[in-house]
Amino acid sequence: MVKDRKLIIAGNWKMNKTVAEALDLVNGIKREVASVKEVDIVVAPPFTALESVSKALLNSNVRLGAQNMSENGPGAFTGEIAATMLKEFSVRYVILGHSERRQYQKESDELIAKKAAAAHASALKPIVCVGETLSEREGGITEKVIGTQVRGSLAGLTREQIEETIVAYEPVWAIGTGKTASSQQAQDVHAFIRKVLVEMFDDATARRVRIQYGGSVKPSNARELMGMPDVDGALVGGAALEARSFADIIRNSI
Ligand code: PEP
């Protein structure tokens, strides 16, 4: 399907890969996807591998992402990483508000919105994650939850900034579980997110925002998911840890 939004497929490596393993993986990905022009490709290694992976990606078609950043600039914030520090390694994207951070670090929509603003202030493109839990879906409140997360996590962004923001819809019950949302379930929520973006911004702006799906994306389901009209890419966890499967997801999406 030809869409006017370019697909963006990102690999979230989470807390995996030593520097040596990260280099192996990124070199494999580079080889596998060297000829791909139709998709924006992003890898998000752990902070400790950013420098090495950044060097490995020089002159390639794969861009670098980080998995988190501070809402603050440099200063007395022990254990945190500022956007300006990510920029040193040519990081272009930063994943914000992943459900694991919402769950384990208790990140709120308000905090994520501050991080998104800080990312834009340093010309980093945030990938802002939203998603409902299984009990929320079964309780029939998916749209209520997603609407609140989208409005809260993107609060305060300008039209120019939202166009440079990626929204990732990641149903919590589908992350790392092997359970994928059906392509229709994904499309329904993506269309709903776009409707919320129309209300927050305007129709033309909302039409330019890319919305990724995440949750057990693999080579076998990528084509059908990416074929949905409002699905503009994927945020991939487990299947991004192996060059061939990540590349196959990309190839099957074109
Ligand atoms: C994720 O954590 O962003 C994710 C989508 O993981 P997985 O692909 O392993 O479900």
Side-chain angles (χ1 to χ4, degrees):
M1 171 186 301
V2 180
K3 294 183 190 155
D4 42 6
R5 295 177 295 271
K6 189 175 183 186
L7 284 180
I8 175 164
I9 298 185
N12 172 13
W13 297 2
K14 308 194 183 184
M15 197 169 71
N16 293 294
K17 306 294 178 189
T18 62
V19 170
E21 290 166 347
L23 281 173
D24 260 7
L25 176 56
V26 79
N27 285 326
I29 292 171
K30 255 176 38 176
R31 267 196 307 274
E32 293 269 352
V33 303
S35 61
V36 175
K37 296 189 178 55
E38 301 87 337
V39 180
D40 286 335
I41 304 169
V42 182
V43 293
F47 290 127
T48 46
L50 283 178
E51 182 174 14
S52 311
V53 172
S54 177
K55 286 182 183 147
L57 289 180
L58 276 177
N59 302 318
S60 85
N61 57 338
V62 181
R63 298 280 169 262
L64 189 58
Q67 299 175 21
N68 178 40
M69 57 168 259
S70 172
E71 72 278 24
N72 294 300
F77 300 100
T78 303
E80 294 290 298
I81 304 277
T84 48
M85 295 167 172
L86 299 179
K87 296 287 287 186
E88 273 197 296
F89 301 120
S90 306
V91 170
R92 310 275 186 98
Y93 296 86
V94 59
I95 299 169
L96 296 178
H98 189 280
S99 64
E100 287 150 14
R101 295 200 62 84
R102 288 179 184 262
Q103 184 182 352
Y104 304 131
Q105 275 76 32
K106 307 286 173 240
E107 291 199 356
S108 64
D109 293 330
E110 194 186 357
L111 176 68
I112 295 158
K114 283 187 186 153
K115 291 186 179 200
H120 281 296
S122 287
L124 286 172
K125 295 183 206 298
I127 298 176
V128 175
C129 304
V130 298
E132 82 288 1
T133 63
L134 187 58
S135 66
E136 289 164 344
R137 174 161 284 264
E138 288 175 349
I141 56 167
T142 297
E143 290 195 353
K144 181 165 173 279
V145 170
I146 299 293
T148 302
Q149 290 181 351
V150 169
R151 287 179 189 283
S153 308
L154 304 175
L157 295 186
T158 63
R159 285 184 168 77
E160 291 70 29
Q161 288 171 333
I162 192 69
E163 287 184 20
E164 298 295 326
T165 300
I166 292 95
V167 180
Y169 168 56
E170 298 207 305
V172 178
W173 48 272
I175 295 181
T177 58
K179 286 186 200 158
T180 318
S182 70
S183 47
Q184 192 57 53
Q185 280 173 323
Q187 167 58 27
D188 290 348
V189 178
H190 282 228
F192 173 73
I193 292 172
R194 209 174 297 286
K195 192 174 120 219
V196 175
L197 294 174
V198 172
E199 288 161 14
M200 291 177 73
F201 300 94
D202 59 61
D203 192 57
T205 304
R207 266 191 279 118
R208 286 195 277 268
V209 179
R210 292 183 290 181
I211 306 175
Q212 292 176 317
Y213 169 78
S216 300
V217 175
K218 35 191 184 269
S220 58
N221 59 25
R223 191 182 306 280
E224 190 178 338
L225 283 160
M226 298 309 122
M228 301 312 280
D230 285 290
V231 177
D232 309 312
L235 182 54
V236 186
L241 294 175
E242 205 261 308
R244 176 62 69 82
S245 62
F246 187 57
D248 280 343
I249 288 172
I250 294 164
R251 283 190 280 264
N252 291 351
S253 300
I254 300 171

